Amino acid sequence: MKKIAIIMGSGSDLPVAEKAVSVLQKLNIPFVVRVMSAHRTPEAVASFARGARDEGFGTVIAIAGKAAHLAGFIAAQTRLPVIGVPVKSPDLGGLDALLATVQMPSGVPVATVAIDGAANAAWLAARILAAADDGLAARLEDEARLMAGDVEAKDREVRGKWEEQK
Ligand code: RP5
């Protein structure tokens, strides 16, 4: 099975990265977590991105805030799918990172999720791998049924509550 790389630009992004870790663990998908900065350790990022396919990765999740060039910098150097997660910052609320991540030039895409949306980055990465993995596709169907079950249970609870107040 292909691995997923979770790359964050700073140790301060770890709480966001952990959301992706939880999803990948739940789905039993192999992953690697690294801290590498497009600005502070650009050679390390370049080396990783260029070798990622040969290392057995199928998708890269890149998490960064502020002037968030990490996802785009990785996408420039690998043809693997790259998913960008903009991180919320106290000054501009993450809009800075969202725009820096999403506004890529044609031909070099970064699939950008919501601000701090690392969970959905992992779900999307799983869907990408599941296109060529029937076992993973079946696990995603199971998880979708569980999610539906949670909503239906809450619906029953809420309906019951209002019926009691008639
Ligand atoms: C980005 O700048 C990082 O991804 C982080 O979200 C933000 C702040 O980094 P630190 O100054 O906390 O290292 O490069």
Side-chain angles (χ1 to χ4, degrees):
M1 185 179 197
K2 296 282 188 188
K3 298 179 286 187
I4 292 175
I6 301 172
I7 313 297
M8 68 197 96
S10 166
S12 64
D13 300 320
L14 194 53
V16 178
E18 285 170 345
K19 299 181 192 180
V21 167
S22 295
V23 172
L24 297 181
Q25 285 176 329
K26 184 205 297 263
L27 292 170
N28 207 19
I29 296 174
F31 63 90
V32 166
V33 183
R34 300 283 305 273
V35 179
M36 287 188 276
S37 168
H39 305 118
R40 293 165 176 154
T41 60
E43 293 88 358
V45 178
S47 171
F48 168 81
R50 291 176 185 172
R53 188 184 188 89
D54 289 343
E55 292 292 323
F57 291 99
T59 301
V60 179
I61 295 172
I63 301 169
K66 297 187 175 176
H69 300 132
L70 181 62
F73 187 55
I74 292 172
Q77 298 173 94
T78 178
R79 257 39 75 195
L80 292 175
V82 176
I83 303 170
V85 183
V87 174
K88 191 172 190 172
S89 61
D91 33 22
L92 295 174
L95 189 57
D96 43 356
L98 173 62
L99 297 178
T101 304
V102 77
Q103 289 283 47
M104 288 295 291
S106 298
V108 190
V110 168
T112 305
V113 296
I115 295 168
D116 287 356
N120 255 1
W123 286 110
L124 179 55
R127 288 185 178 206
I128 290 168
L129 296 193
D133 186 323
D134 290 344
L136 179 55
R139 294 208 288 288
L140 288 175
E141 291 295 346
D142 290 343
E143 290 297 331
R145 275 190 287 275
L146 288 173
M147 280 188 236
D150 287 346
V151 173
E152 287 158 4
K154 184 55 74 177
D155 181 48
R156 281 192 296 277
E157 181 188 320
V158 169
R159 287 170 66 180
K161 181 179 173 184
W162 286 106
E163 277 162 15
E164 280 168 21
Q165 294 189 4
K166 267 184 193 166

